[in-house]
Amino acid sequence: MNYPSKLIENAVEEISKLPGIGKKTALRMALHLLKRDEKQTLSLSEALTAMRTKTQYCRQCHNISDDILCGICTNPKRDESVVCVVEDTRDVLAIENTSQFRGLYHVLGGIISPLEGVGPADLNIESLLSRITEKQSGDSAIKEIILGLSPTMEGDTTAFYLTKRLKPLNVKITTIARGIPIGGDLEYADEITLGRSIVSRIVYE
Amino acid sequence: MNYPSKLIENAVEEISKLPGIGKKTALRMALHLLKRDEKQTLSLSEALTAMRTKTQYCRQCHNISDDILCGICTNPKRDESVVCVVEDTRDVLAIENTSQFRGLYHVLGGIISPLEGVGPADLNIESLLSRITEKQSGDSAIKEIILGLSPTMEGDTTAFYLTKRLKPLNVKITTIARGIPIGGDLEYADEITLGRSIVSRIVYE
């Protein structure tokens, strides 16, 4: 495309590097910003720069944080004995939004995926193990590790690897339940999910 | 949503002001930028700021431009006697990509839309009229105005208003053809388009 201005071309080029944004959408965004108040573009630029340069990762759980330790790890009301292992920050947000979990998290920062060249060494796995062994005695000992990974090939591989590493550490290992989603119709559930939900059926007490 | 960091929350807030971007997509983009090299975010921010603060509008045709006059208006190979009136820069790009038009443009900067509170005074219409009257004598006189507006309610309203204002100026007024798109199937064309394409049928010469 022949952009009318080098400045636009540059902006379109940079915007279209974002995930899911093509050249046409990027151009629409650039023209939108041009029509709006200059302040909007400036505060967008500043927010992006500030986020990228100032965001830290929590030293304990590796979640995104404004400080050395994140708000969840420093919250005295959370249960330190249960740690939920997740792939990334979005999963923490998703679980937090349910308000059903009062423990802490451990963000792996990815998932084992040989196809994308991500191995165990690229993830925050060693720090999870040392987090467990360091606190093995005392009040703040970790008693349960919940694997909150997606039920995909990569998620299952990561879960398998983690259970192998976690077993010698003498903690209870659990995983979030797989089954028919609430409101889902049995008839339309896929066979694997339905099969698993029968095998790991829940006993009424 | 409870964002893990004020910086992220801020960035998500700003990104989601872009057209077609919701909070979830904005968060995905923010986390994407956090995973990538810091340089990518910085050059995105800089490109946006530079675009917004340095972009000018061509004094003659109001298209986006790096200089006082745009590359099309200053190109000696373009035919000054034909001016195509369009809604915005995207339309200029679309027509330029066809390589079928060698005249100049006039960008209205919008379209008459009473519902959105856009009236004729908000558009670059007076400058179009003065552009025609100023050059009425001499080699660079404008002989034809092509209305390159979308065949929508707003486009038709704008076209109607423009023809009323342009008539006294003694220029030929034309509009881009409406009809069945090339490759389109007659059977699936909507009734209005098909009807118009019969009324304004083209005579084989």
Side-chain angles (χ1 to χ4, degrees):
Chain A
M1 238 192 240
N2 293 314
Y3 294 99
S5 134
K6 263 269 159 230
L7 295 163
I8 299 269
E9 190 175 343
N10 224 335
V12 167
E13 191 64 43
E14 290 296 333
I15 299 172
S16 64
K17 284 180 189 162
L18 291 169
I21 304 293
K23 287 276 160 80
K24 279 213 166 176
T25 315
L27 179 63
R28 193 156 68 97
M29 289 176 176
L31 295 177
H32 171 92
L33 288 174
L34 277 178
K35 271 195 183 174
R36 295 299 152 104
D37 205 49
E38 192 170 298
K39 244 196 299 185
Q40 189 183 330
T41 310
L42 296 183
S43 51
L44 169 61
S45 299
E46 277 160 26
L48 291 175
T49 306
M51 175 195 77
R52 188 63 189 82
T53 53
K54 292 190 196 144
T55 300
Q56 309 179 48
Y57 291 91
C58 172
R59 206 177 44 186
Q60 179 166 265
C61 74
H62 305 287
N63 192 11
I64 288 161
S65 166
D66 284 341
D67 294 304
I68 298 176
L69 284 173
C70 74
I72 296 174
C73 285
T74 52
N75 187 343
K77 287 187 187 156
R78 311 281 306 210
D79 180 0
E80 288 178 285
S81 67
V82 189
V83 171
C84 182
V85 177
V86 293
E87 183 182 341
D88 65 20
T89 298
R90 267 180 294 173
D91 302 325
V92 174
L93 282 173
I95 297 175
E96 281 300 289
N97 279 333
T98 68
S99 311
Q100 296 291 321
F101 181 63
R102 302 304 303 162
L104 303 184
Y105 292 94
H106 193 89
V107 178
L108 293 177
I111 201 154
I112 297 176
S113 169
L115 278 177
E116 292 184 24
V118 182
D122 302 315
L123 308 177
N124 302 316
I125 292 178
E126 292 310 319
S127 69
L128 172 66
L129 302 176
S130 58
R131 195 176 158 186
I132 297 168
T133 46
E134 269 167 26
K135 296 189 176 170
Q136 211 142 29
S137 54
D139 283 348
S140 61
I142 295 169
K143 287 175 193 140
E144 180 178 353
I145 295 287
I146 305 175
L147 300 179
L149 301 165
S150 302
T152 57
M153 180 91 121
E154 286 87 3
D156 286 347
T157 309
T158 311
F160 179 74
Y161 179 83
L162 284 174
T163 39
K164 228 179 54 182
R165 296 292 306 271
L166 290 170
K167 265 208 181 126
L169 297 183
N170 197 26
V171 281
K172 189 172 158 191
I173 307 167
T174 57
T175 180
I176 51 170
R178 283 92 166 79
I180 310 296
I182 312 288
D185 205 320
L186 264 203
E187 199 180 341
Y188 298 116
D190 65 288
E191 291 159 29
I192 297 172
T193 303
L194 191 54
R196 276 209 200 185
S197 78
I198 291 171
V199 172
S200 37
R201 60 198 175 275
I202 299 162
V203 183
Y204 282 118
E205 283 164 29
Chain B
M1 238 193 240
N2 292 314
Y3 294 98
S5 135
K6 263 270 160 227
L7 296 163
I8 298 268
E9 188 175 346
N10 224 337
V12 167
E13 192 64 45
E14 291 296 332
I15 299 172
S16 65
K17 285 181 189 162
L18 291 170
I21 303 294
K23 288 276 160 80
K24 278 214 167 174
T25 316
L27 179 63
R28 195 156 65 98
M29 288 177 177
L31 295 177
H32 171 92
L33 287 175
L34 277 178
K35 270 195 184 175
R36 295 300 151 104
D37 205 49
E38 192 170 299
K39 244 195 300 183
Q40 188 183 330
T41 310
L42 296 181
S43 50
L44 169 61
S45 299
E46 277 161 25
L48 291 176
T49 307
M51 176 194 77
R52 188 61 190 82
T53 53
K54 292 189 195 147
T55 300
Q56 310 179 47
Y57 291 91
C58 173
R59 206 177 45 188
Q60 180 167 267
C61 74
H62 306 286
N63 191 11
I64 287 161
S65 165
D66 284 341
D67 294 304
I68 298 173
L69 284 173
C70 73
I72 297 174
C73 285
T74 51
N75 185 344
K77 287 186 186 158
R78 311 280 307 210
D79 181 0
E80 288 177 287
S81 67
V82 189
V83 171
C84 182
V85 177
V86 292
E87 184 181 339
D88 66 19
T89 298
R90 268 180 292 172
D91 302 324
V92 175
L93 282 173
I95 298 176
E96 282 299 288
N97 278 333
T98 67
S99 312
Q100 297 289 321
F101 180 63
R102 302 304 302 163
L104 302 183
Y105 292 94
H106 193 88
V107 178
L108 293 178
I111 202 152
I112 297 175
S113 169
L115 278 176
E116 292 184 24
V118 182
D122 302 314
L123 309 177
N124 302 316
I125 292 178
E126 293 309 319
S127 69
L128 172 65
L129 301 174
S130 58
R131 194 175 159 187
I132 298 168
T133 46
E134 269 167 26
K135 295 190 176 171
Q136 211 144 31
S137 54
D139 284 347
S140 60
I142 295 168
K143 287 174 193 141
E144 181 178 351
I145 295 287
I146 304 175
L147 300 178
L149 300 165
S150 301
T152 56
M153 182 89 122
E154 287 86 5
D156 286 347
T157 309
T158 311
F160 180 74
Y161 179 83
L162 283 174
T163 40
K164 230 177 55 182
R165 297 291 307 271
L166 290 170
K167 265 209 181 123
L169 297 182
N170 199 26
V171 280
K172 188 172 158 191
I173 307 166
T174 57
T175 180
I176 51 168
R178 282 93 165 79
I180 310 296
I182 311 289
D185 206 318
L186 263 203
E187 201 179 339
Y188 298 117
D190 65 288
E191 291 161 29
I192 299 173
T193 304
L194 191 53
R196 276 208 201 187
S197 78
I198 291 170
V199 172
S200 40
R201 59 197 175 277
I202 298 161
V203 184
Y204 281 119
E205 281 165 28

